[in-house]
Amino acid sequence: MAKRGARAPSAAGAAVPALQDTPIEQLTGVGLQGAALLRAKGIETIGDLLGVLPRRYLDLRNGDDWSLVRERSAGAPVALTARVVDARILGGPVAARRGKGGLALALQEPGAPTILRAVFFRALPGTRERAVVGATVRVVGTLREASGSVELVHPRLLAANARTAPIEPVYPSVGAVSLAATEAWVAAAVALADAWDDPLPPGVAKELGFPTSAQALRAIHAPPRDATPAMLTALARGTSLAHKRLAFEELLAIGVLLERARRATGPARPFRSDDPRGA
């Protein structure tokens, strides 16, 4: 996304930066350490962070239904509450002693005998502590075929009472930043979307058939509950109206910068073949 200059001075006389130009460390929850990790990947402003677009979406509107497991619905996204009935370290005794290796969980449907296997080939910090036998957890992921059944591979392992969005964006990795941190920081930035410095007046945007910048950002990072499959496909492919709106905004900003540069250099000087300076 293109960056633009600061807004007009406030009543106090200090320039108030637009959201897209606000330094990333000013976003709640990021802190100096998080800002350093983001800056290492070229993310210096909140606008840069909102430019990290989801690579796909998990439609969890019906994801809490254990019948998806019983019916072996491979490819279905789920967000299931389950009880850990078995937890085994992958990689043998040495890996277990060193706290390394993977982890295989047997998850049971509450009040029913249905069992779902969840595999972590590389257990993230905190996974083993949360996935103790007898604990109730919430797993979020996509069911995959596995020897005549289905399983989860590297699902998100959450507290039992953790809330999930009806449609969850899945972001690409950003350097050393955890996916959980990326999701939390982007969500915090989206909550401030109304502070985005929209170059198009609402009336002009409406006349062109475009949403506002804030509406476009929310559509991409927090799709509405009533989004259709076609809308989600367009969002995942980057061809949605929201993507076109932000692309138009970026082109507009580039055009303004080019016009300013042209005016700063003055009118073009005509070339004369007998001008020694042109030799």
Side-chain angles (χ1 to χ4, degrees):
M1 297 178 187
K3 298 180 181 178
R4 283 170 288 281
R7 289 180 176 177
S10 66
V16 179
L19 180 66
Q20 55 264 53
D21 300 320
T22 301
I24 192 62
E25 58 267 24
Q26 293 186 24
L27 182 65
T28 300
V30 172
L32 295 178
Q33 183 177 1
L37 294 176
L38 291 171
R39 288 182 185 277
K41 301 304 293 183
I43 299 175
E44 300 184 353
T45 67
I46 294 179
D48 293 334
L49 179 63
L50 288 171
V52 178
L53 303 181
R55 54 188 176 88
R56 60 189 179 92
Y57 297 85
L58 285 179
D59 186 351
L60 301 176
R61 286 173 287 191
N62 299 307
D64 60 349
D65 187 356
W66 271 87
S67 67
L68 295 171
V69 178
R70 292 191 293 273
E71 295 169 3
R72 303 174 183 177
S73 302
V78 295
L80 300 170
T81 300
R83 182 172 176 268
V84 181
V85 293
D86 190 31
R88 301 184 182 185
I89 302 296
L90 302 177
V94 175
R97 285 196 302 271
R98 295 179 178 178
K100 297 182 179 180
L103 183 67
L105 302 178
L107 305 171
Q108 184 176 15
E109 179 183 5
T114 310
I115 298 293
L116 172 65
R117 185 171 185 259
V119 182
F120 302 82
F121 296 112
R122 180 177 57 85
L124 296 174
T127 300
R128 292 190 181 89
E129 292 77 8
R130 180 169 289 165
V132 296
V133 174
T136 300
V137 297
R138 188 169 172 81
V139 284
V140 179
T142 302
L143 296 176
R144 299 187 183 185
E145 292 185 10
S147 303
S149 184
V150 289
E151 67 179 10
L152 291 174
V153 178
H154 280 289
R156 290 173 57 198
L157 190 65
L158 309 174
N161 59 352
R163 298 179 63 182
T164 56
I167 301 172
E168 287 214 338
V170 179
Y171 293 94
S173 59
V174 181
V177 179
S178 70
L179 289 178
T182 299
E183 293 167 0
W185 295 342
V186 172
V190 173
L192 304 174
D194 286 334
W196 188 270
D197 189 11
D198 195 331
L200 285 181
V204 175
K206 184 176 181 180
E207 185 176 345
L208 294 174
F210 281 138
T212 66
S213 295
Q215 290 169 338
L217 290 167
R218 292 191 186 100
I220 291 172
H221 293 288
R225 178 183 286 273
D226 60 353
T228 64
M231 289 171 61
L232 291 180
T233 298
L235 285 169
R237 292 177 176 175
T239 59
S240 71
L241 185 62
H243 287 86
K244 293 175 181 178
R245 168 63 173 85
L246 296 179
F248 177 84
E249 181 173 326
E250 187 164 349
L251 290 173
L252 180 62
I254 292 173
V256 170
L257 291 175
L258 291 175
E259 178 61 19
R260 288 178 179 174
R262 186 191 68 78
R263 293 182 180 182
T265 57
R269 179 174 59 85
F271 174 75
R272 291 175 50 189
S273 59
D274 59 345
D275 188 344
R277 290 176 297 178

